[in-house]
Amino acid sequence: MTGAPGAAPWPPVVAAAAEFAFPALPHASATGMLAVLQLLEQTQWLAPAALAHHQREQLAVLLAHARRTTPWYEAALAALDLDGGLDPDAFAAVPHLTRGTVKDDADALRSRLLPPDHGALVRYTTTGSTGVPLAIVGTGLTDLWYRALVLREHLWHERDLGGTLAVIKTRIADRRHAGWGNATAGVFVTGPSVSLDAHHPLDVQARWLAAEDPDYLLAAATNLHGLARHCLRHGIRLPRLREVRSYAEMLRPDTRALCAAAWDVPLVDTYSAEEVGVIALQCPGHEHYHVMAESLLVEVLDDAGRPCAPGAIGRVVVTALHNFAMPLVRYELGDYAEVGPPCPCGRGLPVLARIVGRRRNLLRRPDGTAHWPTFSAAVWSWLPAIEQIQLVQDRPDHIRVRLVTTRVLDASEQAGLAARLDERFGAAFNYTFERVNAVERDNGFEDFVSLLDD
């Protein structure tokens, strides 16, 4: 397959050792990554039963190591029989690992004996969407898997790695880079990338994007939504843009259409978590997600702890299959997802139809029923003064509406917005309207946040 006229050839050129111009032989540091990519090219087509069998094999090795070398799992897995093969029912009885446990018992979760070929320790820190700080320990092997899955996503979606990538994230320097980052470094020759901190206001981000005119844009889902809406409102086009990529937050149902309207490009979403890496990637031919089953065991469970059938929504519970430094077994992320049927693309990787939201994005109606609110711009687009909106439920009957606006909304406009929100929520609430200069992005901007305890 070849790209557009003038584009880099496909597949992208491998970063070659200096002594070999043709055929291009990779640097020694890249051979492992290319081997993993070749392996992933084969495993994605395995039948679901075969994938599940291989997962159980790897899981048994991980659990044996965790029980032997970590104080926490020595007790938690004491009753598990691993000698005769892993019994799925016995594994389903292993208690879930919570964020609180990872935070409070981090030392007990760390392995006292790391396999020597897993590489050096790698430390990750995250507050995630909950604001609870976590320190996770991985290895060079877990880092290799993370980078390989990012590369898988590039290859699945046939990106021209010779183009310019623009990245908007929190806690990132405003600067220009020679390549696309760690995932491609030393493996493929790429074009440059440019980065901007997401704390900049949307108008600053839009002017920066127009000046850079990138081929690809990566940004958090809600930031991307606000940016596309701003550009659409102000007629800011990005002529070279080919695709936008979202991550970090639940993707609003209208964001894809908004990006298409603003820039005439498709959107590709990724589901990941700092603690366990890439969880699921958008299918190359569809809008649903494929679970990265070679790296993770992902369970979607109902309230009784049973696996959800296609079409049902449940809690996401993840086991990282290759982190032997700090095993995370049946780790409950606090996310909810809908299970999807097998994909017509032919890949045997499990399917998530959509990522519904996090526990803290769960609305509680005054009568106690639960609801994940989804919003489209139609809820407030009739008010051009609104640039950003965030809803915070702080009491069962009360919601704070935090607004970035070009002017103060009058009483009739507030009442009209409240009526539309009640219709969306399926219940009546009391509202307080707050005009703010910006929406904080330290833990990711989210449309709806609940402060209620479970």
Side-chain angles (χ1 to χ4, degrees), residues 32 42 86 120 306 385 399 418 432 446 449:
Q42 305 302 316
L86 183 62
R306 298 181 299 253
I399 291 175
T432 299
E446 295 167 319
V449 177

Side-chain angles (χ1 to χ4, degrees), residues 193-440:
S193 63
V194 290
S195 58
L196 185 74
D197 194 292
H199 284 93
H200 290 292
L202 289 176
D203 60 335
V204 174
Q205 294 183 28
R207 288 197 301 271
W208 175 80
L209 273 177
E212 296 293 347
D213 195 19
D215 297 276
Y216 300 95
L217 169 61
L218 171 66
T222 45
N223 188 103
L224 189 59
H225 185 278
L227 187 57
R229 189 165 180 263
H230 177 91
C231 288
L232 187 61
R233 175 183 295 176
H234 295 279
I236 299 173
R237 307 292 291 182
L238 302 174
R240 290 202 315 169
L241 194 64
R242 309 184 195 187
E243 177 189 86
V244 293
R245 300 162 56 201
S246 60
Y247 76 103
E249 301 151 350
M250 184 185 69
L251 187 67
R252 286 172 47 164
D254 59 335
T255 303
R256 296 182 190 277
L258 194 57
C259 290
W263 304 311
D264 193 27
V265 295
L267 182 149
V268 174
D269 191 36
T270 295
Y271 178 35
S272 63
E274 191 73 31
E275 306 96 299
V276 295
V278 179
I279 300 171
L281 298 175
Q282 184 178 318
C283 177
H286 304 86
E287 292 183 357
H288 55 236
Y289 305 79
H290 284 292
V291 171
M292 299 295 97
E294 301 95 340
S295 177
L296 302 167
L297 173 64
V298 175
E299 304 172 80
V300 182
L301 306 175
D302 64 18
D303 290 340
R306 298 181 299 253
C308 289
I313 295 171
R315 295 167 295 155
V316 178
V317 177
V318 177
T319 299
L321 295 174
H322 302 106
N323 188 350
F324 282 56
M326 188 175 182
L328 298 178
V329 177
R330 306 203 83 201
Y331 174 52
E332 189 161 350
L333 287 171
D335 294 349
Y336 289 79
E338 178 185 334
V339 176
C343 183
C345 75
R347 291 176 175 83
L349 301 169
V351 173
L352 299 179
R354 60 191 175 110
I355 315 305
V356 179
R358 296 178 171 90
R359 183 177 290 118
R360 81 178 205 150
N361 305 129
L362 179 65
L363 172 79
R364 297 289 181 181
R365 297 188 179 105
D367 65 1
T369 56
H371 173 63
W372 272 280
T374 58
F375 303 98
S376 68
V379 176
W380 57 81
S381 60
W382 58 282
L383 286 172
I386 297 178
E387 295 186 339
Q388 282 184 296
I389 185 170
Q390 183 184 52
L391 309 173
V392 180
Q393 184 178 22
D394 50 12
R395 298 193 302 274
D397 65 343
H398 182 264
I399 291 175
R400 284 189 285 121
V401 183
R402 306 179 72 243
L403 297 166
V404 179
T405 61
T406 57
R407 59 173 176 79
V408 177
L409 302 185
D410 63 34
S412 64
E413 290 171 329
Q414 292 181 8
L417 181 56
R420 285 167 171 78
L421 290 172
D422 281 346
E423 181 180 3
R424 179 68 60 168
F425 292 147
F429 288 88
N430 297 313
Y431 296 93
T432 299
F433 292 86
E434 301 176 357
R435 190 183 184 201
V436 298
N437 293 326
V439 173
E440 295 82 358

Side-chain angles (χ1 to χ4, degrees), residues 49-105:
L51 273 170
H53 170 74
H54 292 308
Q55 282 185 313
R56 287 193 297 272
E57 288 182 320
Q58 179 61 28
L59 184 59
V61 175
L62 173 72
L63 295 178
H65 167 83
R67 185 168 63 184
R68 185 176 65 253
T69 69
T70 64
W72 198 88
Y73 287 111
E74 184 178 358
L77 303 178
L80 201 61
D81 180 11
L82 298 174
D83 295 330
L86 183 62
D87 178 12
D89 292 333
F91 178 71
V94 173
H96 295 178
L97 188 64
T98 66
R99 290 182 66 93
T101 301
V102 175
K103 178 179 180 292
D104 296 336
D105 297 340

